[in-house]
Amino acid sequence: MHATLPLLAKSNFPALNRGGVDTLQVNLGYLCNQTCLHCHVDAGPRRTEIMDKQTVQTVLDYLHAKNIKTLDLTGGAPEMNPHFRYLVQQASAMGVRIIDRCNLTILEDENYAWLAEFLAQHKVEVVASLPCYLSDNVDSQRGRGVFDDSVRALKRLNELGYGIEGSGLMLTLVYNPQGASLPPSQSDLQTAYKRELQLRFGIVFNQLFTITNMPIKRFGSTLISQGNFASYMQLLKEAYSEENLADVMCKSLISIDWQGYVYDCDFNQMLNLPIQEKEGAPAHLSDLITRDIAGTPIVVMDHCYGCTAGQGSSCGGALD
Ligand code: SF4
Ligand code: SF4
């Protein structure tokens, strides 16, 4: 895989400082039931890097000490971490809003037959990637059979109340472009998804997030192989929208890796750009329980143009 960091480091992206942290995004490890071609963490069934109980406890201690409002769980398949249920139960008891970035197919795995009801019981918000409402496009990006399993999982979630207005069970779908282009209008695409999923499968959901592909990891490497890296960066820079700068997610979120080290966002985590302690060592979440990092600088490089291009992009979809 081609390294993208050397191409991103020399950057004129504006300096950014964080505000207060209201969201803790936690990568529970690289174990996953799928092996998608585009996976930015190379997750899969044989990965052994998963968050241990002690680090999970540090996450809970941080949520409590800092009165964090939102816990955003990612992986791999976060549900495959053996401490997933403990973490959700404890955070839920604290009144924390919990988001599960779920690949949907895990809900169809016989070993996780408990999962859908468990998520509903704790009012966990489900955010699920579905790059298209047509099976061929999804299967080519995420693997054969993934679309059919995803449809079955979405129907099951609907049966439990997910995606139904007034149920209190939020179901969000995520779209990212298949290639080197910016996502279309989030609201227009949401309308099309709602219409097509309802018509074709009787599926309902609350909202669609569109997310811009970042020129890092596997996608960035593919751009380099195909000679498209410079033109994609130019596309992102030409679409720069200053009004998105105030709302980029790193202003109010920090991202934790499976060992508890802290990053400005998931992308900086993937680029191995941790928040540094004064001595230059990577900051660990346990260090931040008694320390306030509001106002400190964020590590920005050229990939940050992916967050500010066009309608903007974040883990919560478009920014405008
Ligand atoms: S489901 Fe997500 S974490 Fe798992 S392999 Fe696919 S992209 Fe990676
Ligand atoms: S990639 Fe986006 S969220 Fe991450 S540091 Fe850059 S602007 Fe912030």
Side-chain angles (χ1 to χ4, degrees):
M1 187 152 56
H2 299 287
T4 53
L5 190 57
L7 299 173
L8 300 167
K10 191 164 172 279
S11 174
N12 59 355
F13 194 83
L16 279 178
N17 293 321
R18 79 191 83 250
V21 177
D22 64 28
T23 299
L24 186 67
Q25 190 172 68
V26 177
N27 189 316
L28 286 174
Y30 303 152
L31 184 61
C32 190
N33 59 319
Q34 289 184 201
T35 46
C36 304
L37 280 178
H38 70 277
C39 182
H40 62 306
V41 292
D42 285 332
R46 292 202 181 86
R47 297 299 297 259
T48 53
E49 304 91 334
I50 46 174
M51 186 173 280
D52 62 17
K53 182 84 181 274
Q54 189 183 347
T55 311
V56 165
Q57 194 57 53
T58 304
V59 167
L60 289 166
D61 292 346
Y62 182 85
L63 292 175
H64 179 68
K66 298 295 188 184
N67 195 21
I68 299 296
K69 302 282 181 273
T70 303
L71 175 65
D72 185 344
L73 300 174
T74 75
E79 309 88 350
M80 292 179 81
N81 182 303
H83 313 299
F84 175 81
R85 276 185 272 196
Y86 173 73
L87 176 58
V88 168
Q89 283 161 344
Q90 297 297 311
S92 169
M94 284 183 217
V96 174
R97 170 186 172 222
I98 305 168
I99 296 168
D100 178 33
R101 294 196 184 257
C102 177
N103 67 20
L104 293 176
T105 61
I106 191 74
L107 294 163
E108 292 298 297
D109 186 311
E110 61 184 6
N111 294 318
Y112 293 86
W114 51 270
L115 180 57
E117 280 82 6
F118 175 81
L119 295 173
Q121 183 191 350
H122 294 280
K123 298 224 173 327
V124 175
E125 298 183 22
V126 173
V127 176
S129 184
L130 194 70
C132 193
Y133 42 76
L134 301 174
S135 66
D136 286 355
N137 289 348
V138 173
D139 284 3
S140 67
Q141 208 182 97
R142 299 178 71 77
R144 188 184 299 197
V146 166
F147 186 79
D148 289 346
D149 273 353
S150 300
V151 165
R152 275 193 291 276
L154 287 168
K155 286 184 172 173
R156 179 130 177 258
L157 289 171
N158 279 171
E159 282 164 17
L160 288 166
Y162 272 101
I164 315 282
E165 293 300 332
S167 69
L169 295 173
M170 281 290 290
L171 176 58
T172 301
L173 300 182
V174 178
Y175 164 91
N176 63 294
Q178 308 244 346
S181 57
L182 291 177
S185 153
Q186 180 167 282
S187 58
D188 290 354
L189 194 62
Q190 175 174 293
T191 303
Y193 261 67
K194 286 203 168 185
R195 183 187 61 235
E196 295 298 325
L197 286 177
Q198 170 73 268
L199 263 173
R200 291 165 192 262
F201 309 107
I203 288 170
V204 294
F205 64 98
N206 297 97
Q207 57 186 349
L208 178 81
F209 291 163
T210 57
I211 294 188
T212 300
N213 287 322
M214 279 283 167
I216 62 172
K217 286 290 181 176
R218 199 180 298 271
F219 182 69
S221 176
T222 304
L223 289 173
I224 293 171
S225 311
Q226 296 173 345
N228 291 334
F229 190 87
S231 59
Y232 188 66
M233 278 312 310
Q234 191 179 351
L235 175 74
L236 296 181
K237 289 183 179 185
E238 284 176 355
Y240 175 71
S241 172
E242 190 170 358
E243 65 191 25
N244 290 328
L245 202 57
D247 298 320
V248 288
M249 60 186 173
C250 51
K251 300 280 279 184
S252 57
L253 164 154
I254 54 173
S255 165
I256 311 302
D257 71 14
W258 65 277
Q259 292 175 292
Y261 291 105
V262 189
Y263 305 78
D264 300 300
C265 67
D266 190 43
F267 308 122
N268 283 6
Q269 183 180 148
M270 296 313 140
L271 286 167
N272 196 23
L273 297 169
I275 295 176
Q276 305 273 325
E277 288 286 30
K278 282 201 188 75
E279 312 78 44
H284 193 270
L285 191 61
S286 54
D287 303 324
L288 302 189
I289 288 176
T290 53
R291 196 151 72 74
D292 188 7
I293 55 168
T296 54
I298 294 164
V299 181
V300 293
M301 291 186 183
D302 259 9
H303 62 293
C304 297
Y305 283 105
C307 292
T308 51
Q311 61 190 332
S313 180
S314 73
C315 289
L319 298 175
D320 62 9

